[in-house]
Amino acid sequence: MKKRGQMEAPIELFVAVIVLSLSLALAFSVMSRTDEGKCIAKLRTETDKLQAAMLDVAFASPPTSRTVLFEMTRCGNLAIDGLRFVYYSKSEWCELCQAHYGGCWQIVPIAKDQDGAYKIVSDAVSCVNIAGDIFLRSDDACDELSSNPCPPDEDDCKSGVPRGIWSGDPLSLTRWLTMGKSGTSTVYRITLTKSVTAGSQEVTTGTGSESGEIIVCARSAAAESES
């Protein structure tokens, strides 16, 4: 009987080690997902601040301006690599925005996956409740922003958005401005300024009247502090 007990002891120890290992792995996994969730919630706060600034500027008179600091952080396996200001002209692309049936403005953080493709961080997307006849323009004096879903200088990037939406019909009302990370900078100072545009938008508005315009300027906060 004593010999049998001695033989069973290593087996029981082995089983105990396996159970402990699995318990620790599960605990670390839960902690990781909790931390990632908190991080994405913080990112949503960042996009909501931009949404509030864009809303203020859209309804104000020129040259009203608002500045917001935005951090491109890492949330677990998601490294935020870019930010899109986008207007979708079709309701099927507005599922993240309730009660937007004819079109919607969104502020969209994007991250790269392991294959180098861009993906939307949907839990951190913020919808902007403004009209679709507002136009966006990049401030030439600031960091370059791209007029397609890919960050600047990445012409062949996998944007996660069907190419036909943004590079096909020149009369499409879908509009984009995308900023991407520059170097190791993670914090950016984004300034939105109200302006007006006339003439250039006649095709889409059907008139020659002035339309509201928001000029977007994005600069690395680190670069500004060094200058």
Side-chain angles (χ1 to χ4, degrees):
M1 183 67 69
K2 183 177 179 181
K3 185 176 181 180
R4 182 180 176 184
Q6 290 175 339
M7 292 177 62
E8 289 178 348
I11 296 175
E12 292 173 353
L13 179 61
F14 179 69
V15 171
V17 169
I18 291 177
V19 171
L20 178 61
S21 299
L22 291 174
S23 299
L24 288 174
L26 179 61
F28 284 126
S29 175
V30 170
M31 289 173 60
S32 176
R33 277 181 287 182
T34 300
D35 289 342
E36 183 174 312
K38 289 179 179 178
C39 180
I40 291 177
K42 180 183 176 183
L43 179 63
R44 175 58 189 265
T45 300
E46 299 272 296
T47 57
D48 281 348
K49 286 192 298 183
L50 271 173
Q51 179 263 135
M54 190 171 176
L55 196 63
D56 282 350
V57 169
F59 287 109
S61 301
T64 300
S65 181
R66 297 285 185 273
T67 298
V68 175
L69 286 178
F70 182 83
E71 183 178 3
M72 292 193 188
T73 185
R74 171 180 284 276
C75 296
N77 294 324
L78 294 175
I80 307 306
D81 216 63
L83 183 71
R84 297 176 185 154
F85 297 84
V86 57
Y87 174 73
Y88 289 115
S89 58
K90 295 185 178 181
S91 58
E92 55 261 39
W93 289 94
C94 296
E95 294 179 355
L96 295 174
C97 302
Q98 297 181 358
H100 287 257
Y101 303 111
C104 60
W105 280 101
Q106 297 180 6
I107 297 175
V108 183
I110 52 177
K112 266 186 179 177
D113 63 18
Q114 294 180 342
D115 298 324
Y118 287 96
K119 60 183 293 185
I120 293 172
V121 186
S122 56
D123 288 339
V125 171
S126 188
C127 301
V128 190
N129 190 24
I130 60 176
D133 58 356
I134 294 285
F135 294 87
L136 289 181
R137 177 166 62 87
S138 173
D139 188 333
D140 296 334
C142 302
D143 291 351
E144 181 185 1
L145 283 87
S146 175
S147 58
N148 66 42
C150 301
D153 303 322
E154 295 198 41
D155 297 332
D156 197 34
C157 83
K158 303 172 184 177
S159 69
V161 178
R163 191 174 182 84
I165 289 181
W166 56 271
S167 63
D169 185 359
L171 303 182
S172 170
L173 288 177
T174 301
R175 296 183 291 277
W176 305 82
L177 271 186
T178 306
M179 60 172 287
K181 262 188 177 180
S182 58
T184 58
S185 298
T186 58
V187 180
Y188 294 83
R189 191 179 303 277
I190 301 175
T191 300
L192 309 174
T193 304
K194 181 67 175 291
S195 183
V196 292
T197 182
S200 62
Q201 305 296 346
E202 288 182 9
V203 173
T204 54
T205 62
T207 69
S209 60
E210 291 182 334
S211 297
E213 180 182 62
I214 296 177
I215 301 172
V216 183
C217 172
R219 286 194 177 101
S220 165
E224 281 194 341
S225 63
E226 292 172 1
S227 60

